[in-house]
Amino acid sequence: MKPDATRERTGRRVPPLARFLVRRVLLAVLMAWGITLITFVLTNLVPGDPVAANLGQRALGDPAIVAQWRAEHGLDKPLWQQYLLHLQGLLHGDFGTSQQSHRPVAADLAEFVPATLELAGAAILVSLVLGVAFGVVAALRRDRLADHTLRVVSLIGISVPTFWLALMAFYVFFYRLQITPGSGRVDVALGSAPPVTGLQTVDALLAGRWDIFASAAGHLVTPALVLALYTIGLLTRFTRSAVLEVLGQDYVRAARAKGLPGRVILFRYVLRSALVPIITVAGLAFGSLLSGTVLVEAIFAWPGIGQYAYKSATTLDLPAVMGVGLVVGVVYLAINLVVDVLYGVIDPRVRLQ
């Protein structure tokens, strides 16, 4: 029998990368459901009465008002029914209604999430460029002046508290030197570009408003650098270790013995092998940046999801808290999925396993 006929009868073999992606996507869907359950349970276990937080102590004296408020927000039903209703709403894109803004939580998140994505995205981009570059230089100049200098800089970046650095940066560069813009995302006098993505810099470019783009980029620089300093230090130290480990491998020595140029050895052999652990750290760093911008957003008056989450938590706005928790969890899942895909693309051994 011909091999082609056998292949047609048995069916085409699914490529290893396709099987790898299908498994990761199915696992991400299962974990997304787990996030909804955990977020709902933990939110309802928070001590405090949402009725008192939203209506005040005086309204608690009127049982009719309390009963009406609980019925309006579905708090008069058992927890399992509340969760089923919450899950049903999520499947239809309904996150519920915020008890503070009286707007759909989805509308609030659509307004605040892009601001945090823009800030965290700029921070991780700067971190990747500088952190990987510093780590490679430190590894190639091991035990020399450049290596010691970069290791000290990375240690400072990891050790300095982010909130203190944000306060110092705002005080020095804006209040004292007046070389950076103030708070917010763009100058109030310029207004905002027509919203398309929610990212001020991108929307300004799409609209051709270079004045708004310059203002938005200027407002973005200082908080992004403040957020990036810790990640730069982390990536510098991790990249240095990963590159040093690869430099000691036999295939790198063989490439040098063949007389390959140093640039070819660095990019084709060393960096590609060192990228797998670097991507892991970068993915985790982006997730932590996205969920840890509360203090930086407060200092620079950046209207992001951190401020929205803080206000929702202090007022026991349960739908908003669950919405924020779900968004952050889904972002972590998306980052892990992208990291897994990059694993399979960079290292074939991962997808074959």
Side-chain angles (χ1 to χ4, degrees):
M1 184 178 292
K2 295 182 179 181
D4 293 339
T6 304
R7 183 177 299 177
E8 290 177 1
R9 190 171 65 181
T10 57
R12 297 184 61 184
R13 180 179 176 84
V14 179
L17 183 58
R19 297 199 306 269
F20 176 80
L21 293 178
V22 170
R23 290 197 301 267
R24 291 298 186 269
V25 171
L26 293 178
L27 181 61
V29 172
L30 181 62
M31 293 183 66
W33 170 77
I35 289 174
T36 64
L37 180 61
I38 294 174
T39 302
F40 180 84
V41 172
L42 293 180
T43 302
N44 284 274
L45 289 178
V46 173
D49 188 359
V51 179
N54 289 273
L55 298 182
Q57 293 295 331
R58 295 182 61 182
L60 292 178
D62 192 337
I65 296 178
V66 173
Q68 180 182 359
W69 193 90
R70 289 185 176 275
E72 288 178 355
H73 295 87
L75 298 179
D76 58 337
K77 297 180 176 61
L79 279 179
W80 66 271
Q81 291 186 9
Q82 294 182 36
Y83 174 69
L84 291 179
L85 291 175
H86 173 65
L87 191 60
Q88 182 181 2
L90 292 179
L91 293 176
H92 292 84
D94 182 12
F95 289 75
T97 302
S98 173
Q99 299 163 3
Q100 290 298 306
S101 65
H102 304 291
R103 298 173 55 196
V105 175
D108 288 343
L109 293 175
E111 178 181 346
F112 293 112
V113 169
T116 299
L117 284 177
E118 186 174 34
L119 179 59
I124 197 63
L125 182 61
V126 173
S127 301
L128 282 172
V129 173
L130 296 181
V132 173
F134 290 166
V136 171
V137 172
L140 296 178
R141 299 290 187 270
R142 182 179 183 180
D143 295 332
R144 299 181 185 177
L145 179 60
D147 181 25
H148 294 307
T149 302
L150 291 174
R151 290 170 67 182
V152 171
V153 171
S154 65
L155 181 61
I156 294 174
I158 294 175
S159 304
V160 175
T162 303
F163 71 91
W164 180 86
L165 184 64
L167 286 172
M168 291 298 100
F170 188 83
Y171 175 77
V172 173
F173 296 110
F174 170 68
Y175 182 74
R176 299 293 299 180
L177 301 180
Q178 298 183 356
I179 59 177
T180 59
S183 57
R185 300 179 66 188
V186 68
D187 291 338
V188 179
L190 296 176
S192 299
V196 178
T197 64
L199 310 177
Q200 287 286 351
T201 51
V202 176
D203 291 344
L205 287 176
L206 293 177
R209 294 293 305 272
W210 296 101
D211 53 344
I212 297 179
F213 173 78
S215 176
H219 282 78
L220 185 62
V221 168
T222 307
L225 289 177
V226 168
L227 275 178
L229 184 61
Y230 173 83
T231 312
I232 290 173
L234 185 65
L235 284 174
T236 298
R237 298 172 69 87
F238 210 90
T239 302
R240 178 184 181 275
S241 300
V243 171
L244 285 176
E245 182 178 355
V246 175
L247 286 174
Q249 299 296 324
D250 292 336
Y251 61 87
V252 176
R253 297 193 185 98
R256 288 174 176 170
K258 290 180 180 179
L260 293 178
R263 177 171 53 86
V264 174
I265 296 175
L266 176 62
F267 288 99
R268 184 175 298 179
Y269 293 91
V270 177
L271 276 183
R272 183 167 183 176
S273 300
L275 272 181
V276 172
I278 293 173
I279 288 175
T280 304
V281 176
L284 295 175
F286 182 74
S288 64
L289 286 177
L290 189 64
S291 58
T293 59
V294 178
L295 294 175
V296 175
E297 288 181 358
I299 293 171
F300 290 95
W302 195 268
I305 193 174
Q307 288 299 293
Y308 182 69
Y310 172 75
K311 294 178 181 178
S312 301
T314 54
T315 58
L316 289 181
D317 189 350
L318 300 185
V321 171
M322 287 188 290
V324 171
L326 180 61
V327 167
V328 174
V330 169
V331 168
Y332 266 100
L333 285 180
I335 293 172
N336 288 331
L337 181 61
V338 171
V339 169
D340 287 341
V341 171
L342 291 177
Y343 281 173
V345 172
I346 295 172
D347 191 349
R349 294 173 299 177
V350 175
R351 59 177 181 263
L352 290 176
Q353 293 173 356

